[in-house]
Amino acid sequence: MSSQPLHPLPPFTAETAHQKVKAAQDKWNTKTPKSISPAYTPDSIWRNRDQFFQGTQSIEEFLTRKWEREKNYRLRKELFAFKDNKIAVEFWYEYSETEDINSQWYRTYGLEHWVFAEDGRMKSRQMSGNTIPITNKERWFTDGADVNEGEVPRGHISLNE
């Protein structure tokens, strides 16, 4: 099965690496596994914390399970480093246990290492992250907030203080 190249293509520049990161962020914020999975090669290898899996179907199944648990999900990704066909990303996301915004909230902090095929699709994604409980008041990505706005604090600091 051939596929159209997914621009921008490696080797990356600072500008194209940044574009790739923000495109991934925007796609993940749709929470639509079938529209996200084409960004990965059919044999893409993933490590997500303690889970290891490979392939488009496994990616879609993982993302489906993820967003069945993580309600009101909002994600921000920032370029950390890049070279040739590799990009390192720092990310933060928040979610609640239920659709009710008054339920328990969580924030995950982490890093990802991405390796791309020549056609611009990701052939490897390695993720490390830590999740902590937060209060509704401590949320960064409140309803209507632009996930790209503002400086993300270093460490666990509330933007609302």
Side-chain angles (χ1 to χ4, degrees):
M1 175 180 160
S2 70
S3 122
Q4 296 293 327
L6 188 60
H7 293 275
L9 304 175
F12 298 110
T13 64
E15 180 181 353
T16 60
H18 176 77
Q19 290 171 357
K20 202 70 153 175
V21 169
K22 289 304 177 178
Q25 169 192 286
D26 294 346
K27 193 60 90 165
W28 276 58
N29 275 326
T30 70
K31 301 176 289 291
T32 310
K34 285 207 178 293
S35 71
I36 295 167
S37 64
Y40 303 92
T41 61
D43 60 348
S44 185
I45 298 170
W46 280 33
R47 178 181 57 78
N48 198 88
R49 302 179 201 237
D50 62 348
Q51 297 179 59
F52 297 81
F53 50 95
Q54 183 173 6
T56 305
Q57 182 175 344
S58 295
I59 291 168
E60 289 180 7
E61 290 169 356
F62 168 81
L63 294 173
T64 299
R65 288 189 309 272
K66 173 182 182 61
W67 290 314
E68 285 172 351
R69 291 184 319 273
E70 298 176 1
K71 307 299 182 186
N72 298 302
Y73 176 93
R74 298 285 303 277
L75 166 71
R76 178 165 171 175
K77 291 182 183 280
E78 292 294 336
L79 177 63
F80 189 75
F82 70 95
K83 183 175 182 180
D84 301 327
N85 70 332
K86 297 178 177 114
I87 296 177
V89 175
E90 189 172 17
F91 69 87
W92 309 263
Y93 67 85
E94 295 175 348
Y95 65 93
S96 58
E97 288 182 334
T98 70
E99 293 292 344
D100 180 357
I101 64 165
N102 295 313
S103 67
Q104 177 61 56
W105 281 87
Y106 298 91
R107 182 179 302 126
T108 298
Y109 301 84
L111 296 169
E112 292 178 330
H113 176 257
W114 300 344
V115 180
F116 291 87
E118 289 179 3
D119 69 358
R121 293 182 298 161
M122 195 181 302
K123 64 182 182 179
S124 175
R125 175 186 175 269
Q126 308 294 313
M127 181 276 225
S128 296
N130 298 300
T131 301
I132 60 167
I134 60 172
T135 66
N136 193 351
K137 185 179 176 189
E138 291 176 298
R139 291 172 53 208
W140 296 343
F141 308 133
T142 56
D143 295 337
D146 182 342
V147 294
N148 292 308
E149 291 295 317
E151 198 61 35
V152 173
R154 301 293 115 199
H156 178 61
I157 300 169
S158 175
L159 293 177
N160 298 316
E161 292 178 354

PDB file of all heavy atoms in Angstrom, residues 87-103:
ATOM      1  N   ILE A  87      13.152  13.794  16.098  1.00  0.00           N
ATOM      2  CA  ILE A  87      12.639  14.943  16.841  1.00  0.00           C
ATOM      3  C   ILE A  87      12.376  14.503  18.277  1.00  0.00           C
ATOM      4  O   ILE A  87      11.800  13.438  18.510  1.00  0.00           O
ATOM      5  CB  ILE A  87      11.326  15.486  16.226  1.00  0.00           C
ATOM      6  CG1 ILE A  87      11.581  16.019  14.805  1.00  0.00           C
ATOM      7  CG2 ILE A  87      10.726  16.578  17.101  1.00  0.00           C
ATOM      8  CD1 ILE A  87      10.323  16.518  14.101  1.00  0.00           C
ATOM      9  N   ALA A  88      12.792  15.336  19.220  1.00  0.00           N
ATOM     10  CA  ALA A  88      12.465  15.135  20.635  1.00  0.00           C
ATOM     11  C   ALA A  88      11.436  16.200  21.023  1.00  0.00           C
ATOM     12  O   ALA A  88      11.562  17.371  20.640  1.00  0.00           O
ATOM     13  CB  ALA A  88      13.698  15.236  21.511  1.00  0.00           C
ATOM     14  N   VAL A  89      10.435  15.790  21.771  1.00  0.00           N
ATOM     15  CA  VAL A  89       9.300  16.641  22.104  1.00  0.00           C
ATOM     16  C   VAL A  89       9.075  16.625  23.609  1.00  0.00           C
ATOM     17  O   VAL A  89       9.117  15.575  24.250  1.00  0.00           O
ATOM     18  CB  VAL A  89       8.026  16.120  21.397  1.00  0.00           C
ATOM     19  CG1 VAL A  89       6.804  16.906  21.809  1.00  0.00           C
ATOM     20  CG2 VAL A  89       8.208  16.144  19.897  1.00  0.00           C
ATOM     21  N   GLU A  90       8.819  17.801  24.155  1.00  0.00           N
ATOM     22  CA  GLU A  90       8.351  17.925  25.528  1.00  0.00           C
ATOM     23  C   GLU A  90       6.843  18.138  25.437  1.00  0.00           C
ATOM     24  O   GLU A  90       6.364  18.863  24.566  1.00  0.00           O
ATOM     25  CB  GLU A  90       9.032  19.134  26.170  1.00  0.00           C
ATOM     26  CG  GLU A  90       8.807  19.264  27.640  1.00  0.00           C
ATOM     27  CD  GLU A  90       9.673  20.366  28.251  1.00  0.00           C
ATOM     28  OE1 GLU A  90      10.191  21.223  27.516  1.00  0.00           O
ATOM     29  OE2 GLU A  90       9.806  20.353  29.489  1.00  0.00           O
ATOM     30  N   PHE A  91       6.076  17.484  26.320  1.00  0.00           N
ATOM     31  CA  PHE A  91       4.616  17.630  26.242  1.00  0.00           C
ATOM     32  C   PHE A  91       4.003  17.675  27.622  1.00  0.00           C
ATOM     33  O   PHE A  91       4.590  17.237  28.612  1.00  0.00           O
ATOM     34  CB  PHE A  91       3.985  16.498  25.412  1.00  0.00           C
ATOM     35  CG  PHE A  91       4.063  15.146  26.073  1.00  0.00           C
ATOM     36  CD1 PHE A  91       3.086  14.733  26.958  1.00  0.00           C
ATOM     37  CD2 PHE A  91       5.123  14.307  25.813  1.00  0.00           C
ATOM     38  CE1 PHE A  91       3.155  13.494  27.577  1.00  0.00           C
ATOM     39  CE2 PHE A  91       5.211  13.069  26.420  1.00  0.00           C
ATOM     40  CZ  PHE A  91       4.230  12.663  27.306  1.00  0.00           C
ATOM     41  N   TRP A  92       2.793  18.226  27.640  1.00  0.00           N
ATOM     42  CA  TRP A  92       1.955  18.310  28.837  1.00  0.00           C
ATOM     43  C   TRP A  92       0.537  18.085  28.381  1.00  0.00           C
ATOM     44  O   TRP A  92       0.114  18.632  27.370  1.00  0.00           O
ATOM     45  CB  TRP A  92       2.022  19.705  29.463  1.00  0.00           C
ATOM     46  CG  TRP A  92       3.396  20.203  29.693  1.00  0.00           C
ATOM     47  CD1 TRP A  92       4.107  20.139  30.869  1.00  0.00           C
ATOM     48  CD2 TRP A  92       4.255  20.858  28.761  1.00  0.00           C
ATOM     49  NE1 TRP A  92       5.337  20.707  30.699  1.00  0.00           N
ATOM     50  CE2 TRP A  92       5.464  21.152  29.397  1.00  0.00           C
ATOM     51  CE3 TRP A  92       4.134  21.213  27.415  1.00  0.00           C
ATOM     52  CZ2 TRP A  92       6.522  21.786  28.778  1.00  0.00           C
ATOM     53  CZ3 TRP A  92       5.188  21.837  26.792  1.00  0.00           C
ATOM     54  CH2 TRP A  92       6.356  22.128  27.466  1.00  0.00           C
ATOM     55  N   TYR A  93      -0.216  17.288  29.116  1.00  0.00           N
ATOM     56  CA  TYR A  93      -1.640  17.206  28.818  1.00  0.00           C
ATOM     57  C   TYR A  93      -2.415  17.056  30.095  1.00  0.00           C
ATOM     58  O   TYR A  93      -1.887  16.633  31.128  1.00  0.00           O
ATOM     59  CB  TYR A  93      -1.974  16.120  27.792  1.00  0.00           C
ATOM     60  CG  TYR A  93      -1.763  14.679  28.190  1.00  0.00           C
ATOM     61  CD1 TYR A  93      -2.737  13.973  28.895  1.00  0.00           C
ATOM     62  CD2 TYR A  93      -0.610  14.007  27.806  1.00  0.00           C
ATOM     63  CE1 TYR A  93      -2.553  12.639  29.215  1.00  0.00           C
ATOM     64  CE2 TYR A  93      -0.421  12.674  28.120  1.00  0.00           C
ATOM     65  CZ  TYR A  93      -1.398  11.999  28.827  1.00  0.00           C
ATOM     66  OH  TYR A  93      -1.224  10.670  29.138  1.00  0.00           O
ATOM     67  N   GLU A  94      -3.668  17.474  30.024  1.00  0.00           N
ATOM     68  CA  GLU A  94      -4.572  17.397  31.162  1.00  0.00           C
ATOM     69  C   GLU A  94      -5.830  16.666  30.734  1.00  0.00           C
ATOM     70  O   GLU A  94      -6.231  16.718  29.570  1.00  0.00           O
ATOM     71  CB  GLU A  94      -4.942  18.801  31.646  1.00  0.00           C
ATOM     72  CG  GLU A  94      -3.758  19.558  32.193  1.00  0.00           C
ATOM     73  CD  GLU A  94      -4.067  20.993  32.582  1.00  0.00           C
ATOM     74  OE1 GLU A  94      -5.167  21.510  32.232  1.00  0.00           O
ATOM     75  OE2 GLU A  94      -3.212  21.597  33.225  1.00  0.00           O
ATOM     76  N   TYR A  95      -6.437  15.981  31.707  1.00  0.00           N
ATOM     77  CA  TYR A  95      -7.682  15.270  31.443  1.00  0.00           C
ATOM     78  C   TYR A  95      -8.389  15.040  32.766  1.00  0.00           C
ATOM     79  O   TYR A  95      -7.801  15.152  33.846  1.00  0.00           O
ATOM     80  CB  TYR A  95      -7.428  13.941  30.725  1.00  0.00           C
ATOM     81  CG  TYR A  95      -6.659  12.927  31.544  1.00  0.00           C
ATOM     82  CD1 TYR A  95      -7.313  11.973  32.315  1.00  0.00           C
ATOM     83  CD2 TYR A  95      -5.266  12.930  31.550  1.00  0.00           C
ATOM     84  CE1 TYR A  95      -6.613  11.051  33.062  1.00  0.00           C
ATOM     85  CE2 TYR A  95      -4.556  12.012  32.296  1.00  0.00           C
ATOM     86  CZ  TYR A  95      -5.229  11.073  33.057  1.00  0.00           C
ATOM     87  OH  TYR A  95      -4.523  10.164  33.800  1.00  0.00           O
ATOM     88  N   SER A  96      -9.683  14.723  32.657  1.00  0.00           N
ATOM     89  CA  SER A  96     -10.479  14.420  33.844  1.00  0.00           C
ATOM     90  C   SER A  96     -10.968  12.969  33.769  1.00  0.00           C
ATOM     91  O   SER A  96     -10.942  12.350  32.709  1.00  0.00           O
ATOM     92  CB  SER A  96     -11.662  15.384  33.963  1.00  0.00           C
ATOM     93  OG  SER A  96     -12.482  15.307  32.814  1.00  0.00           O
ATOM     94  N   GLU A  97     -11.428  12.473  34.918  1.00  0.00           N
ATOM     95  CA  GLU A  97     -11.902  11.084  34.986  1.00  0.00           C
ATOM     96  C   GLU A  97     -13.243  10.892  34.287  1.00  0.00           C
ATOM     97  O   GLU A  97     -13.543   9.813  33.804  1.00  0.00           O
ATOM     98  CB  GLU A  97     -12.032  10.636  36.440  1.00  0.00           C
ATOM     99  CG  GLU A  97     -10.705  10.431  37.115  1.00  0.00           C
ATOM    100  CD  GLU A  97     -10.855   9.936  38.558  1.00  0.00           C
ATOM    101  OE1 GLU A  97     -11.898  10.192  39.200  1.00  0.00           O
ATOM    102  OE2 GLU A  97      -9.903   9.296  39.029  1.00  0.00           O
ATOM    103  N   THR A  98     -14.071  11.923  34.288  1.00  0.00           N
ATOM    104  CA  THR A  98     -15.387  11.855  33.657  1.00  0.00           C
ATOM    105  C   THR A  98     -15.592  13.112  32.823  1.00  0.00           C
ATOM    106  O   THR A  98     -14.787  14.046  32.889  1.00  0.00           O
ATOM    107  CB  THR A  98     -16.519  11.758  34.707  1.00  0.00           C
ATOM    108  OG1 THR A  98     -16.619  13.008  35.389  1.00  0.00           O
ATOM    109  CG2 THR A  98     -16.276  10.626  35.706  1.00  0.00           C
ATOM    110  N   GLU A  99     -16.689  13.150  32.074  1.00  0.00           N
ATOM    111  CA  GLU A  99     -17.002  14.343  31.272  1.00  0.00           C
ATOM    112  C   GLU A  99     -17.276  15.556  32.156  1.00  0.00           C
ATOM    113  O   GLU A  99     -17.105  16.689  31.723  1.00  0.00           O
ATOM    114  CB  GLU A  99     -18.214  14.072  30.372  1.00  0.00           C
ATOM    115  CG  GLU A  99     -17.970  13.049  29.288  1.00  0.00           C
ATOM    116  CD  GLU A  99     -16.994  13.509  28.216  1.00  0.00           C
ATOM    117  OE1 GLU A  99     -16.700  14.711  28.105  1.00  0.00           O
ATOM    118  OE2 GLU A  99     -16.510  12.635  27.480  1.00  0.00           O
ATOM    119  N   ASP A 100     -17.700  15.328  33.394  1.00  0.00           N
ATOM    120  CA  ASP A 100     -17.991  16.400  34.341  1.00  0.00           C
ATOM    121  C   ASP A 100     -16.686  17.099  34.707  1.00  0.00           C
ATOM    122  O   ASP A 100     -15.769  16.470  35.252  1.00  0.00           O
ATOM    123  CB  ASP A 100     -18.657  15.811  35.582  1.00  0.00           C
ATOM    124  CG  ASP A 100     -18.993  16.850  36.633  1.00  0.00           C
ATOM    125  OD1 ASP A 100     -18.671  18.041  36.456  1.00  0.00           O
ATOM    126  OD2 ASP A 100     -19.582  16.458  37.657  1.00  0.00           O
ATOM    127  N   ILE A 101     -16.582  18.397  34.434  1.00  0.00           N
ATOM    128  CA  ILE A 101     -15.325  19.106  34.722  1.00  0.00           C
ATOM    129  C   ILE A 101     -15.037  19.213  36.218  1.00  0.00           C
ATOM    130  O   ILE A 101     -13.936  19.576  36.606  1.00  0.00           O
ATOM    131  CB  ILE A 101     -15.278  20.507  34.077  1.00  0.00           C
ATOM    132  CG1 ILE A 101     -16.347  21.426  34.664  1.00  0.00           C
ATOM    133  CG2 ILE A 101     -15.371  20.413  32.571  1.00  0.00           C
ATOM    134  CD1 ILE A 101     -16.130  22.885  34.334  1.00  0.00           C
ATOM    135  N   ASN A 102     -16.015  18.878  37.046  1.00  0.00           N
ATOM    136  CA  ASN A 102     -15.799  18.901  38.487  1.00  0.00           C
ATOM    137  C   ASN A 102     -15.249  17.585  39.019  1.00  0.00           C
ATOM    138  O   ASN A 102     -15.038  17.440  40.213  1.00  0.00           O
ATOM    139  CB  ASN A 102     -17.085  19.286  39.218  1.00  0.00           C
ATOM    140  CG  ASN A 102     -17.499  20.705  38.877  1.00  0.00           C
ATOM    141  OD1 ASN A 102     -16.679  21.618  38.896  1.00  0.00           O
ATOM    142  ND2 ASN A 102     -18.761  20.885  38.537  1.00  0.00           N
ATOM    143  N   SER A 103     -14.997  16.618  38.134  1.00  0.00           N
ATOM    144  CA  SER A 103     -14.402  15.351  38.571  1.00  0.00           C
ATOM    145  C   SER A 103     -12.897  15.545  38.791  1.00  0.00           C
ATOM    146  O   SER A 103     -12.368  16.639  38.602  1.00  0.00           O
ATOM    147  CB  SER A 103     -14.674  14.251  37.541  1.00  0.00           C
ATOM    148  OG  SER A 103     -13.991  14.496  36.331  1.00  0.00           O
TER     149      SER A 103
END
